[in-house]
Amino acid sequence: MTTRAPQKRRIETRNKLIAAATKIIARDGYGGLRVEDVVSQAKVAKGTFFSHFEDKDRLMALLAGQEMEHILSTIAEGPPPQTITGIAQALSPLMEFMAQDRAVFDLIPRYSGALQIETTELISVNFGHQVELLIRWITPLQGTVIRADTSAELLAEGVQAFMIQAMALKFCVLHNANSIEDRLEPYLHPWLAGPTR
């Protein structure tokens, strides 16, 4: 019984830090999140923050991963797209979140495992869920709208790579006037439809 009370307090403190960070992000965005503000809002010492999170980026990655899972679940509940354009449109809310500002976008590839630097469970799991959803969308369209000469898994992984590219272009001066969806679609048509004869 004596070990339960400290564990309960630790969980409560972690939840206070997460709630404080969530409130700050709602007000100032991910780019405005500062450890000092989180601990002040949560009414805990700065050292307490670092006993729960390695750094601010780890906390941001946790919160971003939770939101990515929520958005992807909402997308998955909708009707599956029947066209390549529909796939780009369906992915748009997730991509808009992931590229909402530089602070979030910089976290995504770093903590997804894609760069083999660092991972967090939620973001890397979400990347797996993205591929699973894409496979579900692609498979029934193969042989009609989508090419059948390549596995659905490889096509899904390619779509995911093009998503990262389309989001990265948002931060490029030459390409940032277009919507993410408009940047993604030109990649998807040749990739998913295959070569025209």
Side-chain angles (χ1 to χ4, degrees), residues 137-150:
W137 288 350
I138 289 168
T139 302
L141 300 177
Q142 284 188 288
T144 55
V145 175
I146 294 178
R147 66 195 300 172
D149 64 339
T150 305

Side-chain angles (χ1 to χ4, degrees), residues 9-21:
R9 278 196 303 274
R10 183 161 176 78
I11 291 168
E12 288 170 353
T13 301
R14 181 180 171 86
N15 289 340
K16 280 172 51 176
L17 289 164
I18 291 169

